[in-house]
Amino acid sequence: MTETTIPLLPCRTSLIETAVDFYTALGFETTYLQKSPYAYAVVERGAVELQLYGMKDYDPASSHSGCYVLTDDVDGLHTAFRAGLKAAYGRVPTRGLPRIGPLKDMSYGVRQFLMTDPTGNTIRIGQPISDDPSHRPAPKETFARALHMADLFADSKQDLPGAAKIIDRVLGLTDEQPTPVQRLRLLVLRGDIAQRMGEMERAAALLEEAAAVRLDADQQTLAGDALARLAELRG
């Protein structure tokens, strides 16, 4: 017996063609597109199939819908998707709708990135990086936990002020200090959040502070994703 799950994602009716264009830029093929009597579209890329259905009064800004796609080449997909979006939009959209986020190794054993289409659906693309498939509790160490929670608030909940508050609190501690890699990651994430909130001067100061963190060769390897994100944000 073989089963297949196909996500059904809501879409504002007037944006269904815009959403299809977004997925086309990612390398998806449109296998079905209907405008009446109701809007409906099917896009496919390899084994991944997404179906979009129109809703006249759907608000993309308040959307909480989406799905998770598992892959064995998350880095390759991230690179391909960024290249496709840049070709289609003239830039890689990292804020607003649509957008694509950075690659991150999550504390629960998955390397992933998030992308959100023009109608507010968030597609998580992940690759397991641990042999332990069980869901892990949040880290207990102060700064690892702060990074874990801030990532969840910023990306999963889209609560940017909440994520900023978490980071600001731990960066203000005087009785504990993060490792250089943790400090870099916290500052880069906080700078990213500031940019997404439109606080450009604050973002520039945070990213400058992040760039000043000294790392040895081993630490640079550990912080590779954060350093790549730092270069992108400063560029």
Side-chain angles (χ1 to χ4, degrees), residues 55-70:
M55 296 178 63
K56 183 177 180 181
D57 298 321
Y58 189 74
D59 180 13
S62 61
S63 172
H64 294 283
S65 61
C67 66
Y68 205 111
V69 176
L70 287 175

Side-chain angles (χ1 to χ4, degrees), residues 12-13 16 34-41 52-55:
R12 178 180 285 180
T13 299
I16 197 157
Q34 171 182 289
K35 298 179 184 179
S36 64
Y38 56 88
Y40 205 94
L52 305 165
Y53 61 93
M55 296 178 63

Side-chain angles (χ1 to χ4, degrees), residues 65-122:
S65 61
C67 66
Y68 205 111
V69 176
L70 287 175
T71 179
D72 59 5
D73 186 17
V74 69
D75 288 75
L77 282 181
H78 189 250
T79 298
F81 287 176
R82 283 173 55 89
L85 292 174
K86 186 173 183 179
Y89 293 92
R91 61 182 179 85
V92 179
T94 58
R95 301 192 299 274
L97 295 175
R99 63 180 178 269
I100 185 170
L103 269 172
K104 296 179 182 180
D105 289 345
M106 308 304 293
S107 60
Y108 41 85
V110 176
R111 180 168 174 78
Q112 71 174 24
F113 67 95
L114 279 63
M115 62 181 185
T116 304
D117 70 18
T119 194
N121 297 301
T122 296

Side-chain angles (χ1 to χ4, degrees), residues 92-172:
V92 179
T94 58
R95 301 192 299 274
L97 295 175
R99 63 180 178 269
I100 185 170
L103 269 172
K104 296 179 182 180
D105 289 345
M106 308 304 293
S107 60
Y108 41 85
V110 176
R111 180 168 174 78
Q112 71 174 24
F113 67 95
L114 279 63
M115 62 181 185
T116 304
D117 70 18
T119 194
N121 297 301
T122 296
I123 314 299
R124 300 166 186 268
I125 313 291
Q127 179 176 356
I129 53 175
S130 170
D131 293 332
D132 180 2
S134 61
H135 186 77
R136 294 170 176 78
K140 295 186 181 299
E141 192 273 327
T142 300
F143 301 100
R145 183 178 179 84
L147 281 164
H148 172 88
M149 298 304 296
D151 269 328
L152 292 179
F153 272 61
D155 294 328
S156 297
K157 294 182 64 177
Q158 292 296 306
D159 182 355
L160 298 181
K165 184 176 180 180
I166 291 169
I167 297 174
D168 290 342
R169 183 185 66 80
V170 296
L171 286 177

Side-chain angles (χ1 to χ4, degrees), residues 3 13 16-17 23 45 53 60-61 74 87 97 101 104 106 120 149 176 180 196 203 205-206 218 223 225 234:
E3 291 81 26
T13 299
I16 197 157
E17 289 185 275
Y23 288 104
R45 190 184 196 276
Y53 61 93
V74 69
L97 295 175
K104 296 179 182 180
M106 308 304 293
M149 298 304 296
E176 293 183 76
R196 289 162 65 180
L206 287 160
D218 290 339
D225 290 337
R234 296 188 83 198

